Amino acid sequence: MEAVSLISAPKYPEKQVGYIVTSCLLNENHDFLKLAINTVRNDIIGRNETFQCLALTLVGNIGGRDFAESLAPDVQKLLISSSCRPLVRKKAALCLLRLFRKNPDAINVDGWADRMTQLLDERDLGVLTSSTSLLVALVSNNHEAYSSCLPKCVKILERLARNQDVPQEYTYYGIPSPWLQVKAMRALQYFPTIEDPSTRKSLFEVLQRILMGTDVVKNVNKNNASHAVLFEALSLVIHLDAEKEMMSQCVALLGKFISVREPNIRYLGLENMTRMLMVTDVQDVIKKHQSQIITSLKDPDISIRRRALDLLYGMCDVSNAKDIVEELLQYLSTAEFSMREELSLKAAILAEKFAPDLSWYVDVILQLIDKAGDFVSDDIWFRVVQFVTNNEDLQPYAASKAREYLNKIAIHETMVKVSAYILGEYGHLLARQPGCSASELFSILHEKLPTVSTPTIPILLSTYAKLLMHTQPRDPELEKKVFAVFKKYESCIDVEIQQRAVEYFELSKKGAAFMDVLAEMPKFPERQSSLIKKAEVVEDTADQSAIKLRAQQQPSNALVLADPQPVSGAPPPLKIPSQEPQSVARSVSQPNGPSNSIDPQAPSPDLLSDLLGPLAIEAPSGAVSTEQHGPSGTEGVTDEVGGSAIVPVGEQTNSVEVIGNIAERFHALCLKDSGVLYEDPYIQIGIKAEWRGHHGRLVLFLGNKSTSPLTSVQALILPPAHLKLELSPVPDTIPPRAQVQSPLEVMNIRPSRDVAVLDFSYKLGTIVGAKLRIPAVLNKFLQPLQLTSEEFFPQWRALSGPPLKLQEVVRGVRPLALPEMANLFNSFRVTICPGLDPNPNNLVASTTFYSDTTGAMLCLARIETDPADRTQLRMTVGSGDPTLTFELKEFIKEQLIAIPMGSRALVPTAAAAAPPPPVAQPPSPAALADDPGAMLAGLL
């Protein structure tokens, strides 16, 4: 308020302070600003130019709709006034730009268009630059009303291109006012076309001069300025659809840029060359630079690699499709995980759109599946099956290629699917070739059965039935093998597998009916490929006009919400431990000192980030039923629980300094069974635990470190719904230098990552309270188990996808070598099973989970890492219980992302952020012998 009142002071020093402080401390929506509108207006319409500049600066920085409605006419008068100095008019133009952005109705188009045209005749480049900024905003909103400004913008460019009447202070490294050139060309891009031949000719002469006069030099500042002008000129050339000769010149210039060493210039060259693809008749010129664009795929900068991929995709046609697709397939082997899916899709689309012959298309898709099967969608292999089915000449070739890929020791499951389908339908066409009899095809396909998941087994069963049907005369040995497989899966838990096994077995006894039912698949009806539809969506996004692109670049007041996906070092969203209503009532009814007083209005559950921080990630909606899991998140916790039971560490009103980091101590105890949970200058709380199955026994060691008794000692357990906890009573007083023990019995009812909280307080002069997480976490109920391949794969196949088997690509992983990652898994009781995965970069693990509802439940996991990027991996977790699968997957993800190793803190707490407490002098040996706190530390 004082700062606002200083604005009306008559003296400059006071007025300056008032304007500066108000600009820094208030925003456009602050109520105090309304009190200053009249004072600001008086300064604007006054005769003192210094006061005018102060007022215009304030409005240009924090002016809102109220200012726009009240001050816009006065600011316009200042801008067009011939008696004002250029300094004031320049500030008035920028101030009017701010007001127009806040309220477009502040400027009357009918009366202002002619004034704007006159402003563009201004000789002072400062006023002209500010006015051009205003013009860009105006024409983006209504270009038709300001069409008279178009020739004026061309004259500005002519003046600057010829360096006529340009003061030295506006020449930047020999370039006449590059900012004004960029703004003028940007304004021209909002006009659809230039009708006047002389104006168009003058503009193209200016653009030709810019294109010819720009080169790469060693001076970075000059490069930045000249390239800003150049790339804006290129955008204008594309917008105006210039002659082919100028377009070719632009492409040649961009081709030179994509071969320089400077990565920023290469990026801009690739990006603008991609935009040039929208112009007709230049694709052939762009193809001349194909080798250099392909080289950019190997650039160390991923943003350059992405632009090169987009450009190759856009410039591909029948003439160069083979070369480009082959390069993409080679690059696929070394590309990052984040690019492989997009790369696979684009390669498949190009192969389908521009295939010179169908056999080449089959080769490309099979190579694609072989090199990046994890990233090949079902649409891709569905499409190749359609092509093979609809083209009889292609069927023997496709069957032969599928047979070749089956010879590999390790192939992707998608390759097993497509090979099984093709060989089941057309394998009989290879009967005379060596190694291709029905019995041999069955044997090589059956070898892959132990390695595939449940959805692939029905395809294999159909293939076995088709091989049996095509075998003429009948082969008793093959029948015996196939029937044995059918009998094995007649009692499978998966309905689809069971139905196919039973029906195929019964149909095989029907003779002619068997042949009719399993006859060759008919041709698919001709329809547009789903891949081509995706390609059209991609092309549509590149087909936007310059006007749309410029409209997207306008400043926006919209809020941008961050992606909730947790990243390395950031705590994920929370799940609040749920309680039964009765236990909530008990928790609220028991006093725990002043620090636990209950305010029924207050604390929102959003304040829990420090207390429950990293150990509970919010489950996706519907992933776990409420009946199984109890209420979670903010919906399941009343305001009373939020206020009494769970208080963030940083919000506690303790008058003592905590020793050490509470979060680090908790995470250390999650991976070991004894240690210190909490410590301050007066008390130390330690834990020693023992776990068997779904039961656990913890002993809390409460050691009084002071020479005075600790009174009013309270310890209350706030249990989550999935744990049953019984804490032995804690004595009300802990004598000086004494230690007491309090056993805590734990029983795990069902899988969950919620944590129990120990609400602890004592009195030593004042009430000291702490909310501590108890390390009775999910991994404490795991029992290490190592499996052989004969034990692992049958169990793995029996888990038929979601929700029993969940998969996720995890990013932001702490970079760990495989041995370190294996040690991390072993530390939380998930055993690595070596030698089960043929890929040396993958890990396979198993463990047994114990709870009262699930009993002993086997859990399996597979971790697929990328040697080129250790910060991301793909994780698959499976078990016989959907809730357990989800909770274990999230728990492992937390360990890989959020849980710190060593001494690195995970979440900042008040204790961690506070300055370290004064270092006490070391006690004498005699004192150590009598100090139970020191003895406890030594014991633990």
mmCIF file of all heavy atoms in Angstrom, residues 469 503-504 506-519:
data_model
loop_
_atom_site.group_PDB
_atom_site.id
_atom_site.type_symbol
_atom_site.label_atom_id
_atom_site.label_comp_id
_atom_site.label_asym_id
_atom_site.label_seq_id
_atom_site.Cartn_x
_atom_site.Cartn_y
_atom_site.Cartn_z
ATOM 1 N N MET A 469 -3.848 -81.008 -40.988
ATOM 2 C CA MET A 469 -4.845 -81.091 -42.047
ATOM 3 C C MET A 469 -4.187 -81.199 -43.421
ATOM 4 O O MET A 469 -4.667 -81.921 -44.296
ATOM 5 C CB MET A 469 -5.762 -79.863 -41.972
ATOM 6 C CG MET A 469 -6.898 -79.860 -42.980
ATOM 7 S SD MET A 469 -6.463 -78.936 -44.484
ATOM 8 C CE MET A 469 -6.334 -77.278 -43.843
ATOM 9 N N GLU A 503 -11.645 -78.157 -29.386
ATOM 10 C CA GLU A 503 -12.314 -78.201 -30.684
ATOM 11 C C GLU A 503 -11.429 -78.809 -31.762
ATOM 12 O O GLU A 503 -11.900 -79.601 -32.590
ATOM 13 C CB GLU A 503 -12.748 -76.784 -31.079
ATOM 14 C CG GLU A 503 -13.878 -76.244 -30.203
ATOM 15 C CD GLU A 503 -14.285 -74.837 -30.602
ATOM 16 O OE1 GLU A 503 -13.612 -74.246 -31.477
ATOM 17 O OE2 GLU A 503 -15.270 -74.318 -30.042
ATOM 18 N N TYR A 504 -10.146 -78.444 -31.779
ATOM 19 C CA TYR A 504 -9.252 -79.010 -32.795
ATOM 20 C C TYR A 504 -9.094 -80.520 -32.599
ATOM 21 O O TYR A 504 -9.027 -81.289 -33.576
ATOM 22 C CB TYR A 504 -7.882 -78.335 -32.743
ATOM 23 C CG TYR A 504 -7.887 -76.898 -33.237
ATOM 24 C CD1 TYR A 504 -6.945 -75.981 -32.779
ATOM 25 C CD2 TYR A 504 -8.824 -76.458 -34.161
ATOM 26 C CE1 TYR A 504 -6.945 -74.677 -33.216
ATOM 27 C CE2 TYR A 504 -8.833 -75.152 -34.604
ATOM 28 C CZ TYR A 504 -7.889 -74.260 -34.135
ATOM 29 O OH TYR A 504 -7.891 -72.963 -34.572
ATOM 30 N N GLU A 506 -11.304 -82.595 -31.339
ATOM 31 C CA GLU A 506 -12.526 -83.276 -31.769
ATOM 32 C C GLU A 506 -12.688 -83.186 -33.288
ATOM 33 O O GLU A 506 -13.113 -84.152 -33.935
ATOM 34 C CB GLU A 506 -13.742 -82.650 -31.071
ATOM 35 C CG GLU A 506 -13.777 -82.882 -29.568
ATOM 36 C CD GLU A 506 -13.820 -84.365 -29.214
ATOM 37 O OE1 GLU A 506 -14.472 -85.132 -29.962
ATOM 38 O OE2 GLU A 506 -13.186 -84.756 -28.222
ATOM 39 N N LEU A 507 -12.352 -82.044 -33.874
ATOM 40 C CA LEU A 507 -12.486 -81.901 -35.324
ATOM 41 C C LEU A 507 -11.536 -82.823 -36.080
ATOM 42 O O LEU A 507 -11.844 -83.280 -37.193
ATOM 43 C CB LEU A 507 -12.218 -80.443 -35.738
ATOM 44 C CG LEU A 507 -13.341 -79.430 -35.479
ATOM 45 C CD1 LEU A 507 -12.840 -78.009 -35.718
ATOM 46 C CD2 LEU A 507 -14.532 -79.723 -36.391
ATOM 47 N N SER A 508 -10.384 -83.093 -35.491
ATOM 48 C CA SER A 508 -9.420 -83.945 -36.183
ATOM 49 C C SER A 508 -9.949 -85.358 -36.395
ATOM 50 O O SER A 508 -9.427 -86.109 -37.220
ATOM 51 C CB SER A 508 -8.108 -84.000 -35.390
ATOM 52 O OG SER A 508 -8.331 -84.551 -34.102
ATOM 53 N N LYS A 509 -10.985 -85.720 -35.665
ATOM 54 C CA LYS A 509 -11.576 -87.042 -35.815
ATOM 55 C C LYS A 509 -12.681 -87.062 -36.878
ATOM 56 O O LYS A 509 -13.221 -88.116 -37.176
ATOM 57 C CB LYS A 509 -12.182 -87.509 -34.477
ATOM 58 C CG LYS A 509 -11.186 -87.530 -33.320
ATOM 59 C CD LYS A 509 -11.898 -87.877 -32.012
ATOM 60 C CE LYS A 509 -10.945 -87.824 -30.833
ATOM 61 N NZ LYS A 509 -11.656 -88.098 -29.548
ATOM 62 N N LYS A 510 -13.028 -85.886 -37.445
ATOM 63 C CA LYS A 510 -14.180 -85.792 -38.329
ATOM 64 C C LYS A 510 -13.851 -86.002 -39.806
ATOM 65 O O LYS A 510 -14.751 -86.018 -40.632
ATOM 66 C CB LYS A 510 -14.854 -84.420 -38.158
ATOM 67 C CG LYS A 510 -15.308 -84.122 -36.746
ATOM 68 C CD LYS A 510 -16.395 -85.068 -36.278
ATOM 69 C CE LYS A 510 -16.889 -84.695 -34.879
ATOM 70 N NZ LYS A 510 -17.929 -85.609 -34.396
ATOM 71 N N GLY A 511 -12.577 -86.068 -40.150
ATOM 72 C CA GLY A 511 -12.235 -86.326 -41.532
ATOM 73 C C GLY A 511 -12.515 -85.152 -42.433
ATOM 74 O O GLY A 511 -11.862 -84.104 -42.376
ATOM 75 N N ALA A 512 -13.543 -85.293 -43.324
ATOM 76 C CA ALA A 512 -13.856 -84.261 -44.304
ATOM 77 C C ALA A 512 -14.269 -82.954 -43.628
ATOM 78 O O ALA A 512 -13.942 -81.861 -44.105
ATOM 79 C CB ALA A 512 -14.969 -84.740 -45.233
ATOM 80 N N ALA A 513 -14.993 -83.044 -42.523
ATOM 81 C CA ALA A 513 -15.400 -81.836 -41.808
ATOM 82 C C ALA A 513 -14.179 -81.060 -41.312
ATOM 83 O O ALA A 513 -14.159 -79.829 -41.300
ATOM 84 C CB ALA A 513 -16.313 -82.205 -40.635
ATOM 85 N N PHE A 514 -13.153 -81.800 -40.917
ATOM 86 C CA PHE A 514 -11.904 -81.168 -40.463
ATOM 87 C C PHE A 514 -11.288 -80.347 -41.596
ATOM 88 O O PHE A 514 -10.810 -79.230 -41.396
ATOM 89 C CB PHE A 514 -10.956 -82.272 -39.978
ATOM 90 C CG PHE A 514 -9.685 -81.756 -39.358
ATOM 91 C CD1 PHE A 514 -9.716 -80.737 -38.421
ATOM 92 C CD2 PHE A 514 -8.464 -82.302 -39.701
ATOM 93 C CE1 PHE A 514 -8.551 -80.275 -37.835
ATOM 94 C CE2 PHE A 514 -7.295 -81.850 -39.125
ATOM 95 C CZ PHE A 514 -7.331 -80.833 -38.186
ATOM 96 N N MET A 515 -11.309 -80.898 -42.798
ATOM 97 C CA MET A 515 -10.750 -80.210 -43.958
ATOM 98 C C MET A 515 -11.564 -78.954 -44.286
ATOM 99 O O MET A 515 -11.001 -77.904 -44.624
ATOM 100 C CB MET A 515 -10.748 -81.141 -45.169
ATOM 101 C CG MET A 515 -9.995 -82.448 -44.956
ATOM 102 S SD MET A 515 -8.226 -82.245 -45.057
ATOM 103 C CE MET A 515 -8.026 -81.982 -46.814
ATOM 104 N N ASP A 516 -12.891 -79.034 -44.166
ATOM 105 C CA ASP A 516 -13.728 -77.888 -44.502
ATOM 106 C C ASP A 516 -13.551 -76.741 -43.501
ATOM 107 O O ASP A 516 -13.457 -75.567 -43.869
ATOM 108 C CB ASP A 516 -15.199 -78.295 -44.548
ATOM 109 C CG ASP A 516 -15.491 -79.257 -45.690
ATOM 110 O OD1 ASP A 516 -14.701 -79.254 -46.658
ATOM 111 O OD2 ASP A 516 -16.489 -79.995 -45.607
ATOM 112 N N VAL A 517 -13.507 -77.091 -42.220
ATOM 113 C CA VAL A 517 -13.399 -76.058 -41.193
ATOM 114 C C VAL A 517 -12.061 -75.338 -41.270
ATOM 115 O O VAL A 517 -11.974 -74.111 -41.107
ATOM 116 C CB VAL A 517 -13.606 -76.668 -39.788
ATOM 117 C CG1 VAL A 517 -13.300 -75.642 -38.704
ATOM 118 C CG2 VAL A 517 -15.031 -77.182 -39.647
ATOM 119 N N LEU A 518 -10.990 -76.071 -41.527
ATOM 120 C CA LEU A 518 -9.644 -75.490 -41.539
ATOM 121 C C LEU A 518 -9.168 -75.176 -42.949
ATOM 122 O O LEU A 518 -7.957 -75.149 -43.210
ATOM 123 C CB LEU A 518 -8.654 -76.443 -40.861
ATOM 124 C CG LEU A 518 -8.887 -76.672 -39.365
ATOM 125 C CD1 LEU A 518 -7.843 -77.617 -38.795
ATOM 126 C CD2 LEU A 518 -8.852 -75.357 -38.606
ATOM 127 N N ALA A 519 -10.097 -74.946 -43.840
ATOM 128 C CA ALA A 519 -9.709 -74.592 -45.206
ATOM 129 C C ALA A 519 -8.937 -73.278 -45.203
ATOM 130 O O ALA A 519 -8.972 -72.502 -44.243
ATOM 131 C CB ALA A 519 -10.954 -74.480 -46.076
#
